Amino acid sequence: MDADVTDSAGTPADPDLPAGDTPQGRSQEEPGAADSKKEPEPGKDTPQGEAADTGTGAGSGTDSDSDSDDGDDSDAHVPQGSGDDGKADADAGTDSVDGEGEGRAAGAQTWADHPKDGSASRRKRPWLRWAALGASFLVMISAGAGWWLYKKLDGNITTDTSAAAELKVYEKERPTPVVMDAQNILLIGSDSRSGDNKKYGRDDGGSQRSDTTILLHLAADRKSATAVSLPRDLMVEVPKCRTGDDKETREQFTQFNSAFELGGTACTIRTVERLTGIRIDHHMVVDFNGFKDMVDAVDGVEICLKEPIDDKDARLELPAGRQTLNGEEALGYVRARKTLGDGSDTERMERQQKFLGALVNKMQSNGVLLNPTRLYPVLDAATKSLTTDPGLDSLRDLYDLVRSMRDVPTDQVQFLTVPRQPYRQNVNRDELVEPDASELFKQLREDKPVAVVPADELKEKEKAQDGKPDDAGSESPTPTPTYSGSSAADDLCEQ
């Protein structure tokens, strides 16, 4: 019979031919189909790709005889890559040998009986691809939005390059840092009445003075922060400074806030450094609107008033008792002077310190510093009205600064006013109380601890020590200096 196969069909079927060259179900073809293609009969299932392959390769009629004689060798005619080790196709060949006819052989090729190979997985893969594309798209959108927000906040900050340039000119006069990891930042509240701030007072041609100046000392271990207010009416030595039109002022003994008017930020920094001996590492200038927006960003700050306030100059009218101030009210509260207390600038500074402490406490207790969605409005408000030196003029720099402070306990965020008293030659001005002021500056310069207590407690302590030797009652030869002040942990309604 093998000889007949060779004579009628030519070269025998090669089992090594690629899949498709030896189609399944050849036993269903009529003899002589090798020379012409045959259309599949209606009603019969034809495996995919068979119409193109039928009638090609070895003669199909002879293969049918060969399959009948050599049913055990049907594996030689199983197309490669059937997807399930060729088992289903081998069974189809055996059915033909067993003589169950065309129906059985064709039935083996229905989709219900088709081998469960990778085709099902291939049908699902487009959904997986779409899901992956969707996830990638969302990641790109999120990254793009994050980058946009970052650039927006970063662009809000104004860099004060002129102050940095002038400070370089006077570098030889500046103090040398004592503790490298400690940070000393000068915070300046602008008192300009120009632009959006004109509704808060008279506009003197856009001139400005430092209405509030705070020296913020961050300990090297970042376990404490001390904010020292410098009275604007404090009499100090103001060095020679360059003005905006590049002229040089003369050295003079005058009130502190005139330094900002005469020579701007650089002149104020040099005045503070001469007064304290402390090297200023960075500075920030914040105007009124920035303060208001920050209070609004944390949904207001709670205070308590013993008496109602009606101050037209401060644009403030508030009832007595516990209440939450919005940004506009908070600004009036910290700036009011004539209708609150004794009307002194010292008392106003104490009120500012307590309010700033309450603001810090609100930010930490509500998780603002650890919650990006709540931190963003605060950063947006701060950066819009912030002017800094080149070392703090990026969002990354500010974030690193805030992050270094977020673990400072609120009771270690302390506020105080430099020891002062009425100036002997003019009671409307202030002068330092010595040696207390010098001792405070030395502690900060050397990054040593400072303690603050409410003013009434400090007075009681001083009375108890009256008439005693300086070292009496002291458990340590170098006790921590104590000053009148407050901390961010204090409740304004319990004082």
Side-chain angles (χ1 to χ4, degrees), residues 207-230:
S207 64
Q208 56 184 357
R209 292 192 178 188
S210 51
D211 185 62
T212 301
T213 304
I214 297 176
L215 174 59
L216 176 63
H217 174 77
L218 303 179
D221 59 7
R222 296 301 188 269
K223 293 183 179 180
S224 66
T226 304
V228 181
S229 293
L230 301 174

Side-chain angles (χ1 to χ4, degrees), residues 188-192 197 208-212 260 285-288:
I188 302 173
S190 171
D191 195 26
S192 172
N197 295 332
Q208 56 184 357
R209 292 192 178 188
S210 51
D211 185 62
T212 301
F260 194 69
V285 180
V286 183
D287 68 14
F288 292 156

Side-chain angles (χ1 to χ4, degrees), residues 458-484:
L458 184 61
K459 289 179 180 180
E460 292 178 1
K461 181 179 179 180
E462 291 174 348
K463 288 181 180 179
Q465 292 181 345
D466 284 347
K468 295 181 181 180
D470 293 340
D471 59 349
S474 176
E475 298 179 358
S476 171
T478 55
T480 300
T482 303
Y483 300 91
S484 172

Side-chain angles (χ1 to χ4, degrees), residues 335-367:
R335 298 198 70 253
R337 181 173 180 176
K338 298 178 181 179
T339 59
L340 289 178
D342 59 8
S344 67
D345 190 51
T346 299
E347 186 169 293
R348 181 174 67 166
M349 285 188 296
E350 292 175 355
R351 189 166 62 253
Q352 292 173 350
Q353 294 166 5
K354 292 177 181 179
F355 188 88
L356 289 175
L359 176 59
V360 171
N361 194 16
K362 178 74 176 286
M363 293 177 66
Q364 289 194 346
S365 62
N366 285 7

Side-chain angles (χ1 to χ4, degrees), residues 152-164:
K152 180 179 182 297
L153 292 175
D154 206 50
N156 286 343
I157 305 170
T158 301
T159 306
D160 185 2
T161 55
S162 61

Side-chain angles (χ1 to χ4, degrees), residues 264-276:
T265 303
C267 190
T268 301
I269 291 174
R270 293 176 57 224
T271 300
V272 172
E273 290 182 338
R274 174 177 289 195
L275 176 70
T276 65

